[in-house]
Amino acid sequence: MMNRSLAAMFVVSCLATVFPDASPAHADDAEWGCQVLLCAASSNPSWQGVPYCVPPMVKLITEMAKPHFSWPVCSGAGTKAPGYERYADCPAGFSVGYTSSGGDHSYNGEPNLCVKTVNRCGSRSYFGHDGGRCVETISEPRPVRGQPYYFDIRQSSGATQRFWFDLNH
């Protein structure tokens, strides 16, 4: 998560990019796409806790419900529409599994499971060569992200930093 000083530096650098001749710049001076980007990148507090962020983000949520919605972009920051990943990574040792209408774990369903294969018999049998008596597939629900949207923002160093956010208000 981004701390307050890093968030402030990020806001100032983005606004300086968007408004190079403006002094001083304020987030509410930015175009809507830049307001969304700046507010989405706020993590401590999140955009819900920043008074000037609530109107542009509520506007975004309202617009998303309309047909033919197009995500507002911040051309000065070089970003496009955010990414979206509903599910978090599976715990160590598990891989992504898929549910399907047939109940198997094939790849034609939703990637909402974490699965792993285990040998319940230990060293008494060769793993996978006992007719299926010792080998068992374990599955558990895949964790859902609290913040499923993200922006990848290139830093001045050239590295990219991912900022996760949600649209709950």
Side-chain angles (χ1 to χ4, degrees):
M1 297 245 162
M2 187 169 38
N3 64 33
R4 285 184 191 263
S5 61
L6 182 57
M9 289 187 318
F10 172 74
V11 168
V12 169
S13 66
C14 283
L15 288 173
T17 302
V18 176
F19 300 107
D21 300 325
S23 179
H26 300 283
D28 52 355
D29 293 337
E31 62 185 73
W32 181 42
C34 294
Q35 289 175 334
V36 168
L37 175 65
L38 294 171
C39 292
S42 178
S43 63
N44 190 15
S46 68
W47 69 264
Q48 296 97 331
V50 180
Y52 65 78
C53 285
V54 174
M57 296 301 281
V58 168
K59 177 181 175 185
L60 173 71
I61 294 165
T62 302
E63 293 297 316
M64 288 176 73
K66 296 179 180 177
H68 311 292
F69 168 75
S70 180
W71 196 277
V73 297
C74 182
S75 55
T79 60
K80 297 180 178 154
Y84 179 84
E85 291 182 16
R86 179 173 181 195
Y87 297 103
D89 294 335
C90 288
F94 284 81
S95 60
V96 175
Y98 297 78
T99 57
S100 67
S101 58
D104 62 0
H105 300 303
S106 63
Y107 292 103
N108 61 356
E110 186 174 0
N112 62 350
L113 295 175
C114 294
V115 297
K116 73 176 177 178
T117 303
V118 296
N119 180 354
R120 294 287 186 204
C121 298
S123 61
R124 292 184 305 173
S125 70
Y126 293 106
F127 185 66
H129 298 286
D130 64 352
R133 293 184 311 266
C134 292
V135 177
E136 181 182 357
T137 300
I138 298 172
S139 67
E140 60 183 50
R142 190 169 172 196
V144 175
R145 290 185 187 279
Q147 296 181 313
Y149 293 93
Y150 64 88
F151 280 110
D152 287 331
I153 301 173
R154 185 168 307 280
Q155 306 297 306
S156 58
S157 66
T160 301
Q161 186 170 356
R162 183 162 284 181
F163 294 92
W164 294 93
F165 66 100
D166 67 49
L167 293 176
N168 298 322
H169 69 282

